[in-house]
Amino acid sequence: MNIIVMGEDLNAKVAASMLASVGNQVWVTSEESLLTQFNSEPGLTELYQRQKSCGRIVSIAKSELSEKRAPAETDFVIISETSDVIAEIECLRDSSCVSKSIFVILSPSRIGEAIGLKQKFFKDYEEVSVACIPLLIREGRALEDFSRPENIIAGIDDLKSLAKVESLFHPFNRVTNVLKFVSTKEAEFTCFAGHAMLATRLSFMNEMASLAERTDVDIDVVRQCIGLDPRIGQEYLYPGCGFGGKALEQNVKRVATQLRQRNDDLGLLDIVLRINDRQKELLFRKIWKFFNGELENKTIAIWGAAFKPGTSNINDAPCLKLIELLTAQGALVKVYDVQASSKLIDYFKKVDSVSVVDSSLKAIERAEVLAICTEWKEFWSPNYKLLAEHLKSKTIFDGRNILQPQLAEQHGLKYFGIGRNKVTR
Amino acid sequence: MKISESKEWKQLTSHLLEDIQGIKVGELNDLKSRFEDFSYEFDDLLIDFSKQKVTSKTRELLLSLAEAANLKSSIAALSEGKPINTTENRPALHTACRLPASVELVVDQIDINLAVQEEISKIDKMVEKLSNGHWRGYSGKPIRDIVNLGVGGSDLGPLLVCEALDEFKVDYPNNIRVHFASTMDGSQISDIFNTLNPETTVFVLVSKSFSTIDTLSNAASAKAWLMSNCPNEALVDKQHFIGVSVSAEKMGEWGIHPDNQLRLWDWVGGRYSLWSSVGLTIAIKLGMENFKLLLSGAHSIDKHFFETELSQNLPVLMGLIGVWNSNFLGVPAQAILPYDARLKYLPNYLMQLEMESNGKSVTQGGESIDYDSCPVLWGEVGPNAQHAFYQMMHQGTRKVTSDFIAPIRRFSKEDSEHGKSLQEQHLLTLANCFAQSRALMTGGSLDELASNSSEKKQFPNPHKFYPGDQTSTTILIPELNPYTLGQLIALYEHKVFVMATIWGINPFDQWGVELGKIMANETLSELKNAASTEKFDNGTNTLINLVKEGIGKNGKGSNS
């Protein structure tokens, strides 16, 4: 099949690589970004390069789309996020090559987007379809998520697309049929509702954590116990210093905004987001209280900046907020992240009080306290003795509840987690 | 020589007897050129004196009176920072607070605008730190509520501006709200304690002397409230209290952190001080840009007042007509009637500005005056006042002169259905404004109006008869915004100065408020004393003793 992939995010790079890897011919419109980004995603860049060198991924410039030099009889146009590629879609509008194509939106930005796109650009092209297939592609395991999906919600509005979409996903749909066909609006809604549900679980757990702090209960024990209930399950129950990442927060905001337009909305998702904003402030507030508001010239070590482990992405990451708040009070920050160093250096290039270091040890040298913002595996079992030696105030603020408080305390370290402050066992 | 003994005063008296007495203000308005002759414009601001009982001759004689009272040199002395507040031996330089940053004002060899600008930049920094959420309460949460604790000039000015310009408030991400508590009885501050969160509340203590008991008693309660939630006093002081005062020493003694001290100068009177650090809450609520627009509006009037010849000078004409009404027409009362509910605190503000400034009976030199000074001034939002005290103005026995104040444009950018309806409401409001000033002027009989005939009834119903002949000034502003509000307030400030100058009194002191304060201290110690008192007059003693008996009891309907 001939496939054009538009967009420059992770979804675009994964879709291009994986679809090429099973024999399709793929044209990409943002090759430069795809080549330089997401190099830390396991296996991805290698796969992309292999497909490129054997000619199954080809770059096509925007101008070439408009000159009707687009690949003849394009079967699919994969759009990662519509707003990023409107100009490209515009160029394709009158191209005969896409007169029978199916446009596939991977990351919807509103309910009704697919129908809107069809009406806006391809109203007069009866055979053009627009589908919405919001794939679950998680950073750190993106190739696996694409090649062995647990389910594929395929939103289409005409039956003739069904067989073509089936054949597109045929190579990734072998063990059991995981394709579920719904309307485009249902697929878009599912995507938003899913994100809103996950965010609500997280904010709910953060509320419970806050109550746990006030009742001398370790929220981590409670988390394990309620997760045993099959109606609840273990996923997305981890309290912490806030969720980040572009898609989750943005999509929850979108649904919240849409809900707010109804007069009888009581604001559940607004509260979910507000709780998350508060969580992102939580480590700062704990550190502030610890130092009685005297943060001027105090050095704070931070481990982890990426919004989750396995990625270098720092979009909306809680760590950024923490650093902003600390430096605004005159504190100095030494931050270490496993993959996000270069992004951090770029982000804080104008802030003298932030230094990005290349090891967890360098971060704690001459620091007063340590704050942990991302649950990278290498932070789970640190050398507590070393921490106690280096940290002048012998204190750890664990924003992801990954350390063992009793071990920290055995080494003379004060430990503050999320929802487990006063726990001593 | 007292001004009442001057030739010009006597000429005005004769003019009154010869030319004015017996004329009704409505008759003066029969002339086609009346509006043109008696209305003035400055910078989109319009003042219409056509409904005042003045003729060209009156105006001429009033301007001569101004000359006789050395108004020109007094205005110069004000602008140059001469020590015109003679009883306290200092200048009155509120106008310096609204100078553009680039301008110098040298007083006693010092450019005082440097100090003014320094405070403005301190305010700017505080506003920024609060608005970007970096000002934190004791528990590390960003500040959400600012409570202004001040009374009189430390309350009324900021309150007026914050309420009037609510539509201009900045939409901060942390949604900062501004509150005011002034009364010493604790009712307002206790409401603050019940509704706000101590973790996220900052109190701004505004007191020129930093010894105002009203403010300090509220501040003491505020500190106790915070300390019951966070016992670390140094942290509470640093994160929850800002001071605005002349006295850094007293602020320090109270516990205001040096970084949180804003300076005031003894050359800014309390009721003239909203332009200074006293306006911090204004700057927080409306943002620095709007605060500076407010200052520049006021400055535009300062320039006009200082530089325009007397005959075209708006505050001068307002002041002279005020003197004419008070001293020659014998009008004892002045109503302030804004036809815009956003200006609901303007009457309260002007009550202090005018009556605390000019409610005096001795000249600068200490001589008793033999003429009236400040009229009784009060007011209310016009449309509401129509249902309250207009009855008295239309049919009572007292003469009252009124200021009608209204914006030309309101809701003009609204294009929704309810927006159009609001525009209709604005027209209705203006119709009422103009109709009331006309009705007060012309009067008439309701029967005649109902029958729509000019024919006079021989026996009109006396209950439906309106004598008219009540005078008024109409002030139109293009719209209410920071700039025009700054202009409006400055206009009245200078009008007050003009009247004071004619009367020869000092508008910048307020010795009248001191006696009661001293007596209150004695009374308090008697109230606290367990034994019954016989120290004062019989009436006062009895009241005190009644309270002593009753204070611990529960009364009928008690809920405590």
Side-chain angles (χ1 to χ4, degrees):
Chain A
M1 282 190 275
N2 292 330
I3 299 170
I4 299 176
V5 176
M6 292 177 169
E8 48 188 42
D9 60 7
L10 179 66
N11 282 353
K13 187 167 178 176
V14 172
S17 312
M18 291 302 300
L19 291 169
S21 75
V22 295
N24 296 304
Q25 182 61 50
V26 174
W27 284 263
V28 294
T29 57
S30 305
E31 163 131 284
E32 213 182 300
S33 306
L34 297 186
L35 275 173
T36 51
Q37 292 192 80
F38 314 108
N39 292 331
S40 57
E41 187 62 38
L44 179 61
T45 299
E46 296 79 352
L47 181 65
Y48 186 94
Q49 288 289 4
R50 271 204 306 283
Q51 303 310 314
K52 186 174 160 57
S53 53
C54 72
R56 278 199 294 268
I57 292 183
V58 177
S59 172
I60 181 166
K62 200 173 93 180
S63 58
E64 292 176 306
L65 293 173
S66 58
E67 285 162 19
K68 302 184 182 173
R69 295 223 300 270
E73 289 184 26
T74 303
D75 297 285
F76 285 95
V77 180
I78 310 282
I79 297 165
S80 179
E81 207 165 325
T82 318
S83 58
D84 295 341
V85 296
I86 281 294
E88 282 89 336
I89 298 171
E90 191 97 45
C91 295
L92 274 178
R93 186 206 289 254
D94 297 320
S95 166
S96 58
C97 334
V98 295
S99 60
K100 292 179 182 169
S101 304
I102 298 174
F103 286 72
V104 178
I105 299 169
L106 296 182
S107 307
S109 61
R110 63 184 178 87
I111 293 159
E113 186 179 17
I115 292 173
L117 193 71
K118 161 88 180 165
Q119 277 181 343
K120 185 168 179 200
F121 292 101
F122 306 105
K123 207 175 173 184
D124 303 327
Y125 298 84
E126 213 171 286
E127 290 186 70
V128 170
S129 304
V130 181
C132 173
I133 308 179
L135 296 176
L136 173 64
I137 294 175
R138 287 165 288 190
E139 292 194 39
R141 52 200 284 188
L143 291 185
E144 199 187 327
D145 278 344
F146 194 99
S147 60
R148 271 184 291 253
E150 281 173 26
N151 62 68
I152 302 170
I153 306 297
I156 54 171
D157 293 323
D158 48 25
L159 278 175
K160 67 180 187 302
S161 306
L162 197 143
K164 281 180 93 174
V165 169
E166 256 176 349
S167 59
L168 179 72
F169 285 100
H170 165 73
F172 314 108
N173 189 27
R174 290 211 64 183
V175 183
T176 51
N177 182 8
V178 295
L179 256 173
K180 179 167 177 62
F181 284 99
V182 296
S183 73
T184 54
K185 277 172 86 169
E186 284 160 349
E188 288 156 351
F189 199 110
T190 304
C191 175
F192 292 132
H195 278 141
M197 177 77 192
L198 296 176
T200 305
R201 277 176 79 111
L202 289 174
S203 283
F204 170 79
M205 280 310 287
N206 284 328
E207 276 298 83
M208 293 300 106
S210 145
L211 181 60
E213 271 181 20
R214 278 176 273 142
T215 47
D216 291 355
V217 171
D218 184 352
I219 191 66
D220 205 53
V221 176
V222 177
R223 174 190 65 77
Q224 291 169 32
C225 294
I226 60 172
L228 292 172
D229 184 332
R231 296 169 302 176
I232 295 171
Q234 295 285 3
E235 296 289 320
Y236 277 80
L237 288 184
Y238 296 91
C241 55
F243 55 78
K246 197 173 153 198
L248 186 57
E249 198 159 355
Q250 210 173 57
N251 281 344
V252 179
K253 276 184 189 152
R254 282 168 179 156
V255 193
T257 310
Q258 215 154 3
L259 277 171
R260 219 177 293 133
Q261 288 158 3
R262 288 168 49 123
N263 286 334
D264 57 349
D265 171 39
L266 295 180
L268 170 66
L269 291 183
D270 289 322
I271 296 289
V272 165
L273 289 165
R274 270 176 59 193
I275 292 172
N276 196 46
D277 287 340
R278 183 197 65 195
Q279 292 307 113
K280 286 185 181 178
E281 286 226 340
L282 215 53
L283 287 186
F284 168 79
R285 292 181 192 172
K286 285 171 191 279
I287 295 170
W288 165 280
K289 273 193 222 163
F290 181 80
F291 288 112
N292 272 324
E294 298 291 343
L295 287 167
E296 185 101 35
N297 294 322
K298 298 276 191 325
T299 300
I300 315 294
I302 296 179
W303 285 359
F307 83 88
K308 64 179 184 182
T311 172
S312 64
N313 188 339
I314 56 170
N315 281 338
D316 291 323
C319 170
L320 301 183
K321 182 79 186 170
L322 174 62
I323 295 176
E324 180 207 324
L325 296 176
L326 288 170
T327 52
Q329 303 297 333
L332 309 167
V333 170
K334 289 165 86 182
V335 54
Y336 163 69
D337 188 84
V338 181
Q339 289 185 10
S341 289
S342 61
K343 284 191 180 148
L344 283 170
I345 289 167
D346 191 48
Y347 193 92
F348 291 108
K349 64 187 167 210
K350 286 183 186 152
V351 189
D352 292 337
S353 47
V354 177
S355 51
V356 181
V357 296
D358 59 10
S359 78
S360 53
L361 181 63
K362 278 186 192 160
I364 58 168
E365 278 169 2
R366 289 180 300 283
E368 289 283 344
V369 297
L370 167 68
I372 301 175
C373 290
T374 314
E375 62 274 33
W376 286 102
K377 283 289 174 208
E378 68 173 72
F379 305 148
W380 284 65
S381 195
N383 184 334
Y384 290 99
K385 194 164 163 268
L386 215 55
L387 281 170
E389 276 169 26
H390 281 288
L391 295 174
K392 288 191 236 168
S393 296
K394 299 198 187 311
T395 302
I396 302 172
F397 297 89
D398 180 0
R400 297 294 169 194
N401 287 357
I402 55 176
L403 302 191
Q404 292 163 277
Q406 64 277 32
L407 264 184
E409 272 153 23
Q410 277 168 23
H411 287 84
L413 287 157
K414 283 196 198 82
Y415 174 88
F416 296 94
I418 305 289
R420 56 196 317 208
N421 271 1
K422 294 174 183 169
V423 180
T424 41
R425 272 175 289 183
Chain B
M1 184 180 71
K2 273 183 219 155
I3 192 69
S4 55
E5 290 161 7
S6 70
K7 170 175 79 131
E8 290 77 5
W9 188 280
K10 285 173 184 151
Q11 283 172 337
L12 278 160
T13 310
S14 329
H15 164 60
L16 173 76
L17 296 172
E18 290 158 18
D19 309 322
I20 301 294
Q21 235 169 27
I23 290 188
K24 293 199 161 185
V25 60
E27 295 165 27
L28 295 173
N29 262 277
D30 288 340
L31 284 170
K32 277 228 158 65
S33 61
R34 180 71 184 170
F35 185 84
E36 200 182 314
D37 290 346
F38 285 94
S39 70
Y40 295 81
E41 274 181 75
F42 169 72
D43 200 8
D44 289 346
L45 194 83
L46 182 136
I47 306 191
D48 168 27
F49 298 116
S50 66
K51 293 188 181 74
Q52 288 292 351
K53 201 181 273 191
V54 285
T55 63
S56 304
K57 189 172 175 194
T58 322
R59 181 170 53 195
E60 206 177 291
L61 292 172
L62 284 168
L63 286 165
S64 306
L65 182 71
E67 297 285 355
N70 294 319
L71 180 60
K72 265 188 206 160
S73 58
S74 293
I75 293 174
L78 173 76
S79 75
E80 289 159 11
K82 298 270 161 46
I84 54 173
N85 177 356
T86 47
T87 57
E88 293 167 310
N89 192 30
R90 57 202 186 198
L93 272 170
H94 42 288
T95 53
C97 297
R98 48 224 195 191
L99 282 173
S102 55
V103 174
E104 266 189 3
L105 180 65
V106 179
V107 178
D108 292 338
Q109 285 129 38
I110 297 166
D111 175 11
I112 58 165
N113 197 18
L114 289 177
V116 168
Q117 297 305 321
E118 197 181 311
E119 288 313 297
I120 288 182
S121 62
K122 271 170 83 176
I123 293 174
D124 196 355
K125 282 194 190 110
M126 279 187 183
V127 171
E128 193 190 345
K129 198 171 171 190
L130 284 162
S131 62
N132 64 17
H134 290 321
W135 191 308
R136 298 278 158 159
Y138 61 81
S139 66
K141 292 182 184 171
I143 295 306
R144 285 203 52 187
D145 292 286
I146 310 289
V147 184
N148 190 86
L149 298 182
V151 69
S154 302
D155 171 64
L156 291 167
L159 177 64
L160 161 65
V161 178
C162 285
E163 288 293 324
L165 299 178
D166 185 66
E167 291 166 15
F168 292 82
K169 66 173 174 265
V170 182
D171 193 8
Y172 296 118
N174 48 342
N175 196 13
I176 291 185
R177 296 167 303 185
V178 165
H179 314 263
F180 291 85
S182 59
T183 65
M184 65 163 69
D185 71 342
S187 300
Q188 292 172 326
I189 194 93
S190 72
D191 193 40
I192 298 273
F193 301 152
N194 290 334
T195 50
L196 301 187
N197 179 356
E199 292 174 278
T200 55
T201 302
V202 158
F203 293 90
V204 185
L205 275 51
V206 191
S207 167
K208 193 173 161 185
S209 60
F210 225 73
S211 61
T212 315
I213 187 70
D214 315 53
T215 303
L216 291 185
S217 61
N218 277 330
S221 299
K223 193 148 169 182
W225 179 59
L226 278 154
M227 295 275 295
S228 65
N229 291 284
C230 169
N232 182 339
E233 187 171 1
L235 186 61
V236 163
D237 283 344
K238 191 176 170 207
Q239 302 308 129
H240 295 274
F241 288 97
I242 295 172
V244 181
S245 174
V246 169
S247 172
E249 196 190 337
K250 283 192 179 146
M251 285 195 275
E253 277 168 18
W254 194 91
I256 303 286
H257 190 276
D259 292 350
N260 300 352
Q261 295 182 5
L262 288 173
R263 204 179 146 201
L264 210 58
W265 305 274
D266 59 10
W267 42 258
V268 181
R271 57 192 171 273
Y272 297 88
S273 65
L274 70 91
W275 325 99
S276 68
S277 307
V278 170
L280 175 68
T281 39
I282 300 173
I284 293 168
K285 178 166 179 173
L286 307 181
M288 277 317 277
E289 202 180 319
N290 283 324
F291 184 58
K292 286 182 180 171
L293 278 171
L294 181 83
L295 301 186
S296 69
H299 177 67
S300 74
I301 292 292
D302 296 341
K303 267 182 78 86
H304 168 82
F305 182 54
F306 294 158
E307 294 170 9
T308 311
E309 57 176 302
L310 298 186
S311 66
Q312 296 298 318
N313 195 312
L314 299 186
V316 169
L317 292 164
M318 278 174 83
L320 290 176
I321 288 171
V323 168
W324 171 247
N325 280 327
S326 234
N327 299 110
F328 298 95
L329 296 178
V331 181
Q334 160 88 60
I336 302 295
L337 306 167
Y339 273 69
D340 186 323
R342 293 172 295 177
L343 291 172
K344 66 177 174 195
Y345 288 114
L346 184 67
N348 303 42
Y349 178 81
L350 293 181
M351 276 190 238
Q352 189 207 15
L353 178 67
E354 300 225 11
M355 297 199 283
E356 197 169 73
S357 294
N358 284 344
K360 295 169 191 165
S361 52
V362 291
T363 63
Q364 294 260 17
E367 242 182 305
S368 286
I369 55 175
D370 57 2
Y371 42 85
D372 275 323
S373 60
C374 192
V376 173
L377 182 142
W378 90 113
E380 172 63 278
V381 173
N384 286 359
Q386 288 175 197
H387 298 272
F389 55 77
Y390 275 39
Q391 166 64 39
M392 182 197 84
M393 302 204 300
H394 282 297
Q395 290 187 317
T397 56
R398 301 279 182 184
K399 281 290 170 197
V400 178
T401 187
S402 308
D403 282 359
F404 288 87
I405 302 161
I408 294 176
R409 290 187 295 278
R410 176 82 172 119
F411 304 118
S412 52
K413 283 169 193 151
E414 304 268 353
D415 55 3
S416 60
E417 277 310 309
H418 70 275
K420 285 177 199 153
S421 176
L422 288 170
Q423 288 166 12
E424 284 288 319
Q425 283 189 257
H426 176 54
L427 289 185
L428 179 67
T429 308
L430 288 181
N432 273 272
C433 176
F434 300 155
Q436 288 293 346
S437 65
R438 195 166 72 90
L440 284 167
M441 172 177 74
T442 58
S445 151
L446 212 55
D447 298 334
E448 284 166 32
L449 275 176
S451 63
N452 207 11
S453 79
S454 55
E455 190 188 321
K456 298 243 182 289
K457 276 199 174 179
Q458 205 179 350
F459 302 108
N461 181 342
H463 296 287
K464 295 180 180 179
F465 180 73
Y466 306 80
D469 202 32
Q470 294 278 38
T471 62
S472 68
T473 296
T474 301
I475 300 175
L476 289 184
I477 54 174
E479 60 180 42
L480 184 62
N481 61 37
Y483 186 84
T484 57
L485 184 61
Q487 287 187 316
L488 190 62
I489 299 170
L491 197 64
Y492 276 97
E493 283 180 350
H494 294 320
K495 170 206 148 179
V496 165
F497 179 74
V498 170
M499 294 170 86
T501 305
I502 303 293
W503 290 327
I505 59 180
N506 178 7
F508 298 114
D509 62 12
Q510 54 282 320
W511 295 106
V513 305
E514 297 301 324
L515 180 63
K517 285 188 200 171
I518 296 164
M519 287 195 176
N521 285 336
E522 291 174 74
T523 313
L524 180 63
S525 52
E526 281 307 304
L527 268 171
K528 285 180 172 171
N529 183 352
S532 79
T533 189
E534 287 181 11
K535 196 169 176 183
F536 310 117
D537 59 279
N538 177 259
T540 309
N541 289 340
T542 313
L543 290 172
I544 291 171
N545 294 333
L546 271 173
V547 168
K548 287 184 188 185
E549 286 165 26
I551 208 152
K553 293 180 185 164
N554 271 347
K556 284 180 194 163
S558 167
N559 63 359
S560 54

